[in-house]
Each structure stands twice: as structure tokens, then as C-alpha cells.
Amino acid sequence: MPIDPTLPYDDQNVFAKILRGEIPAKKVYEDDYAVAFHDIAPQAPHHILVIPTGAYVSWDDFSGNASDAEIAGFVRAVGAVARAAGVVEPGYRLLANIGVDAGQEVPHLHVHIFAGRPLGPMLAR
Ligand code: 5GP
């Protein structure tokens, strides 16, 4: 069920629980600003989620309210995760769903990294 991104942060969301270590995740990266782990239902050979460690609902919330250090740390982490996964060549796709029309399901900002095969058109036609 897509979430309403204008709602306040819900600290019971599944990624908040992963950050607190309350539920397991196959982590591939962790620093002060970001954590990355494999998606539980991969849609490509590589499907990794990168999330900020701060409590931000969406890209809208994060870009408007996070500190410069948090934003820089998160963006650098996305790049580092892709490099460590070995997907810079032949390429990868970043995707962030924000709000209802995008079908965002988990109300903690996350960027999907897809790679490992030709990924096709950007949007279903
Ligand atoms: P969204 O549709 O919000 O952009 O993507 C949410 C993603 O989170 C989906 O790809 C879904 O498979 C993934 N996901 C949902 N619950 C869990 C979980 O408990 N663990 C992991 N690793 N991924 C999850």
C-alpha cells in the first residue's frame, strides 16, 4: 500500500527496525550516514537498497531537512555501494519512489540500486 509522504516519520517502519537491529538484513555497507542491504524481493541480479541513518520519510523530506553532511554522506554512500558491488561498468540504475503516485511502500527514504542485466526502459509502457 503506497504511503502518504506528508505523514510524520513512523519509527515502526521496517527500515527503522533494520537500522535498530530489530530485524535482520543482508547488509553490504554501513557508515555514520547510510546503510545498504539486499532487497528482500530482488527485481534484478543486483538489487540493493541504500537508506540514510537519519529519520527521513522521503527524498522530499531528506532534501529539505537533512544537514549538508547527511546529504553528502548519503550520496557518497550510494556511489560507494555501487562501486563495491562492481556494477559501475556495465552500468546500474538508481530509483527512489516518493509518495503515492510512485508507489512508495516503506516510509523511510531509500534508493534502489538495480544492476546485473540490461534494465530496459525507465518506465513500464
Ligand atoms: P518502495 O516500493 O517503497 O520503493 O520499495 C520498498 C522495497 O523494500 C521493496 O523493493 C521491498 O521488496 C523492500 N522491502 C520491504 N520489506 C523489506 C524487508 O523487511 N527487508 C528488506 N531487505 N527489504 C524489504
Side-chain angles (χ1 to χ4, degrees):
M1 179 80 144
I3 60 111
D4 177 350
T6 62
L7 291 175
Y9 187 80
D10 171 11
D11 69 3
Q12 293 307 304
N13 79 76
V14 69
F15 294 168
K17 291 179 180 177
I18 286 174
L19 281 172
R20 291 194 297 266
E22 294 169 8
I23 61 172
K26 290 183 184 166
K27 287 185 189 169
V28 296
Y29 184 91
E30 191 159 21
D31 69 15
D32 286 348
Y33 297 109
V35 173
F37 47 88
H38 291 286
D39 196 289
I40 203 167
Q43 296 185 43
H46 293 271
H47 185 174
I48 300 169
L49 301 171
V50 191
I51 68 173
T53 54
Y56 298 100
V57 175
S58 67
W59 193 274
D60 185 64
D61 184 16
F62 186 67
S63 61
N65 299 313
S67 69
D68 289 355
E70 288 176 300
I71 291 171
F74 180 67
V75 171
R76 288 193 188 283
V78 172
V81 170
R83 280 192 294 277
V87 299
V88 176
E89 292 293 338
Y92 63 98
R93 178 170 293 158
L94 301 181
L95 182 143
N97 292 315
I98 297 99
V100 175
D101 272 8
Q104 182 180 357
E105 290 180 352
V106 179
H108 183 114
L109 171 63
H110 47 285
V111 168
H112 298 253
I113 297 176
F114 298 107
R117 62 167 168 81
L119 295 165
M122 274 195 291
L123 296 174
R125 297 174 193 203

